[in-house]
Amino acid sequence: MTSIQDVSPAGLSSERAPLLPERQDALSRSGRQFSPLTLLIPLAVATRLTSTLPTTTLLGVIQSLICRLWLTSNGNLPPGGDISKELCAVPEVERTYAAVISTILIGDGLAAMIACSVISYISSRLGRKPVILGTIAVSFLGYSFMVCSQHLSGWLEASALIAALLLQMFSGIMTMTFIANIYTVDISSAEDRTPVLSAINGWATLGQAVSFAIGGLVTTKTDDPLIVYYISISVLGAIFVYVLAFLPESFPEEKRDELRRQRLAQQNVEANTRRNLSSRIISTIAIAFEPLKQLVPARKADGRKNWRVVYCAIHVIIAMLADSYSPAALLLLYTTKYSYNPAQTGIVLTTLSLSAVLSLTYMIPSLIRVLRPMYARKVALPEDQRGPSDDIAVSTSTDLLDVHIAFASWVINAISYIMASATTTHVSHLIAVTVVGFGAAHTPIIRSLVVSSVDPLQQGEVLAAIEMMSSMGAFLSPLVMGGIFTATISTQPMLVFYIHAAIVIAAASLLFLIRDSDRYQKPPDTTLITANAFTIN
């Protein structure tokens, strides 16, 4: 096994020593060595923990504010300011509360799209680390506004709460997941990318499991909605210092310079075709949607278009349209039909998250390690990519392994949600949601398939494009699947889960259009080709 090289603390200040191709270079800290992947784990766990810890508390804060504003406007606010549940149990408050929650869900999807585009744009020019620090700072500021809102009253409280929600929309779960994924792609090799992405997503889900287990409990036991926000602010402050001090840059300066040269060359070509002001304005506006350019099919060496990224994008948006609302629909079903209380709901969410942690961190990497030899194939290594001791043919895994695992995970996801909605006891509910967690492998696998389709310098942009498509699906899911569930919950509550199963399996079937020949291939070394031709002549 290749030894891990030491990197001196002085060398860390320079971004010119790339993490690749010397993958997983170690950082020397007090005599101990840690790879960038190991150093990423605390960031993944902490950001997911802080994104989900205040979730249940936030719902209560929003409901209380809406009720207080309604009572104030109608002159019914009690003199002491204490509001009972009976005072809030009126149709006007319930309708407003439902509308606000739906608006937040829609806003989360739209904000994630914008955030992924902005993060891709800045990180490709300044590096990943400044973007990570900036996103953590935005989340820190959002929770600080939330704490301030609880010390205000009336419309001042509402204004501070809205500011907090807006900041959190741009630094929520989808945004933090994208940051962790893009960093993972930078530091992992092509052969190890799928299991590494799976493991990082599993560690992040562990943070979510912990937050579900303790978030509502802390607020209930202390009767203080601010405790979870104090915890989140403390964790974010600590992880900010940790990233600043220990996490290395994964997209070093020489890579950013090379990507900048590629962009300038492309801009020079496009500039020759721009004849009027309107085309320049359109080009300027298009910067906001720069990652989406990666969805345009590129031409392969044989002249045919490569539709691989397009297939993945269509798959993601269709699957997310069906799947994003499914956990919420299941919890609503358990709450309305089986009278689940918050503690039981927390147990369901914790069980679902823990099973996903087991699947992503252990089961999927182990399965890939066992099955990879069965899917291995021999390929000819291009002459310009061979070293003195390299064989002409090398063994590499086929994308068919990733496709098969992703498809199987979607089938498990579809069947388990039907099981979870059909069972009638608490124990059977927990067994069913455990199986739901075992179907979590599709998320990291799709990202791995996508980034293997483009130039390594553009992997961050194509990953941002896929996350934007995922956010669009998450935005549409409450509108489409939520509308179906609301219309049928009283008569056919399981219908939405059958529709979900049909949609996700249909979307998963698109993955069989992916071919190994559509993988990114390094262009041949034209210098070597010219030299060979000269020698022959």
Side-chain angles (χ1 to χ4, degrees), residues 15-198:
E15 296 180 356
R16 295 191 177 278
L19 296 177
L20 297 176
E22 302 86 354
R23 307 186 190 273
Q24 306 298 319
D25 279 352
L27 300 179
S28 178
R29 287 287 187 245
S30 302
R32 299 186 63 183
Q33 295 177 335
F34 299 97
S35 71
L37 176 60
T38 303
L39 294 171
L40 179 62
I41 291 174
L43 173 66
V45 174
T47 51
R48 183 67 66 88
L49 171 68
T50 55
S51 295
T52 53
L53 182 64
T55 300
T56 54
T57 303
L58 176 62
L59 297 176
V61 169
I62 293 174
Q63 186 179 37
S64 175
L65 174 61
I66 292 172
C67 180
R68 186 178 294 106
L69 291 175
W70 183 83
L71 292 173
T72 301
S73 63
N74 287 273
N76 296 326
L77 185 67
D82 294 330
I83 303 175
S84 63
K85 292 183 179 180
E86 291 75 16
L87 288 175
C88 296
V90 294
E92 291 84 357
V93 173
E94 293 175 351
R95 282 196 298 267
T96 305
Y97 175 66
V100 169
I101 296 302
S102 298
T103 302
I104 291 174
L105 292 175
I106 293 171
D108 283 340
L110 291 176
M113 287 184 61
I114 298 172
C116 288
S117 179
V118 172
I119 288 170
S120 172
Y121 183 87
I122 297 177
S123 68
S124 65
R125 290 159 173 82
L126 301 179
R128 315 299 192 205
K129 189 169 179 177
V131 169
I132 294 173
L133 292 170
T135 307
I136 294 173
V138 169
S139 184
F140 183 95
L141 185 61
Y143 286 144
S144 299
F145 270 109
M146 183 65 70
V147 171
C148 291
S149 72
Q150 297 305 293
H151 295 287
L152 301 172
S153 60
W155 289 105
L156 284 177
E157 177 186 1
S159 300
L161 180 60
I162 291 172
L165 291 174
L166 287 174
L167 290 171
Q168 285 304 310
M169 284 179 183
F170 288 97
S171 58
I173 293 177
M174 287 184 280
T175 304
M176 294 297 189
T177 301
F178 169 61
I179 289 175
N181 285 341
I182 196 174
Y183 192 97
T184 304
V185 167
D186 288 339
I187 65 176
S188 57
S189 66
E191 291 295 308
D192 296 333
R193 185 182 296 126
T194 299
V196 169
L197 275 171
S198 178

Side-chain angles (χ1 to χ4, degrees), residues 194-268:
T194 299
V196 169
L197 275 171
S198 178
I200 285 297
N201 278 265
W203 282 107
T205 308
L206 177 62
Q208 178 176 294
V210 172
S211 71
F212 285 148
I214 68 173
L217 180 64
V218 168
T219 301
T220 302
K221 294 295 184 181
T222 61
D223 195 28
D224 185 354
L226 293 180
I227 299 298
V228 291
Y229 291 105
Y230 290 141
I231 295 173
S232 297
I233 288 172
S234 301
V235 173
L236 286 170
I239 206 66
F240 184 94
V241 175
Y242 169 83
V243 170
L244 189 63
F246 298 109
L247 195 70
E249 174 59 60
S250 66
F251 197 61
E253 188 176 356
E254 68 273 9
K255 288 190 174 185
R256 301 199 297 269
D257 290 342
E258 177 61 27
L259 183 58
R260 188 178 297 111
R261 284 191 290 269
Q262 290 184 7
R263 288 199 182 104
L264 287 174
Q266 181 65 26
Q267 289 172 3
N268 290 335

Side-chain angles (χ1 to χ4, degrees), residues 202 205 351-361 434 436-438 440:
T205 308
T351 303
L352 173 61
S353 298
L354 288 176
S355 65
V357 170
L358 176 63
S359 173
L360 292 169
T361 58
T434 300
V436 171
F438 290 153

Side-chain angles (χ1 to χ4, degrees), residues 387-399:
S389 60
D390 287 335
D391 296 329
I392 294 177
V394 297
S395 178
T396 183
S397 61
T398 172
D399 288 333

Side-chain angles (χ1 to χ4, degrees), residues 437-502:
F438 290 153
H442 52 82
T443 299
I445 288 178
I446 297 304
R447 273 66 180 173
S448 179
L449 288 171
V450 167
V451 298
S452 65
S453 310
V454 299
D455 186 322
L457 293 175
Q458 298 173 339
Q459 288 175 344
E461 293 180 4
V462 76
L463 192 59
I466 290 300
E467 296 300 343
M468 291 171 74
M469 293 298 100
S470 177
S471 300
M472 178 61 71
F475 160 71
L476 295 173
S477 189
L479 301 177
V480 178
M481 303 300 286
I484 294 173
F485 186 64
T486 302
T488 60
I489 187 172
S490 300
T491 56
Q492 295 177 308
M494 289 182 58
L495 177 62
V496 71
F497 298 102
Y498 285 112
I499 295 174
H500 161 267

